[in-house]
Amino acid sequence: AMTIDATGRTILPNKPAFRVRKTSAQTAGADNELVTWNSIDINIGSHFSSNIFTAPVAGKYFVYSHLKMSSSQGSAHYSVSVNSAYQGGGGGYDGNNAWQIQTGDYMQWTGMVNVSANDTIRMVLYPDGVKNALDTSTNRNHFVVYLVG
């Protein structure tokens, strides 16, 4: 239940949210490969399952994602994908709410997505020939989503 204290601050303990980390190796062999997460730190409402978040209600969701690749590379990137919408290339938004990031060893994206109830949010990899493995020696591989409103 929602709590409002004497100063007007609200506490919403059941607001959908999750934070996952990657602590084991993953080598991407093909485009659109689902990132597999093996450490769940937070999963309020249990809406994150099988590496995919399913929105329980329509609304705006905050998304933060960060990956560290295993060695220097030139063109590997990933997508924060809504409803399996994919788009090749890097650095943009498409009509299906999929975002692409293309950069060096560290890749991250922070933003908000507008989704309907039962829409899904996931991360997928687009490897290049040189750089196709996630660095597992770091706690920097993580994925966070929570309902803003």
Side-chain angles (χ1 to χ4, degrees), residues 66-134:
H66 189 279
L67 293 178
K68 168 119 175 34
M69 303 305 274
S70 62
S71 63
S72 293
Q73 58 79 46
S75 63
H77 58 285
Y78 74 92
S79 169
V80 174
S81 173
V82 175
N83 292 332
S84 299
Y86 303 118
Q87 156 189 336
Y93 166 82
D94 78 8
N96 293 321
N97 301 320
W99 288 263
Q100 304 290 331
I101 290 77
Q102 182 173 354
T103 185
D105 288 353
Y106 294 95
M107 299 185 285
Q108 68 181 25
W109 184 79
T110 303
M112 292 181 48
V113 294
N114 190 26
V115 300
S116 299
N118 298 313
D119 280 356
T120 59
I121 304 172
R122 70 197 77 206
M123 282 178 65
V124 293
L125 292 171
Y126 297 82
D128 69 6
V130 175
K131 175 94 169 206
N132 61 3
L134 295 177

Side-chain angles (χ1 to χ4, degrees), residues 28-40:
D31 284 353
N32 304 332
E33 183 169 316
L34 182 66
V35 176
T36 56
W37 303 97
N38 57 341
S39 181
I40 299 175

Side-chain angles (χ1 to χ4, degrees), residues 38-54:
N38 57 341
S39 181
I40 299 175
D41 299 322
I42 299 168
N43 194 7
I44 299 171
S46 299
H47 303 292
F48 182 83
S49 178
S50 301
N51 303 300
I52 297 170
F53 175 78
T54 302

Side-chain angles (χ1 to χ4, degrees), residues 6-7 12 15 17 24 27 48-49 51 56 63 65 71 78 88-89 95 101 106 124 141-142:
T7 65
L12 302 164
K15 197 174 215 180
S24 66
T27 300
F48 182 83
S49 178
N51 303 300
V63 178
S65 55
S71 63
Y78 74 92
I101 290 77
Y106 294 95
V124 293
N141 296 322
H142 52 268

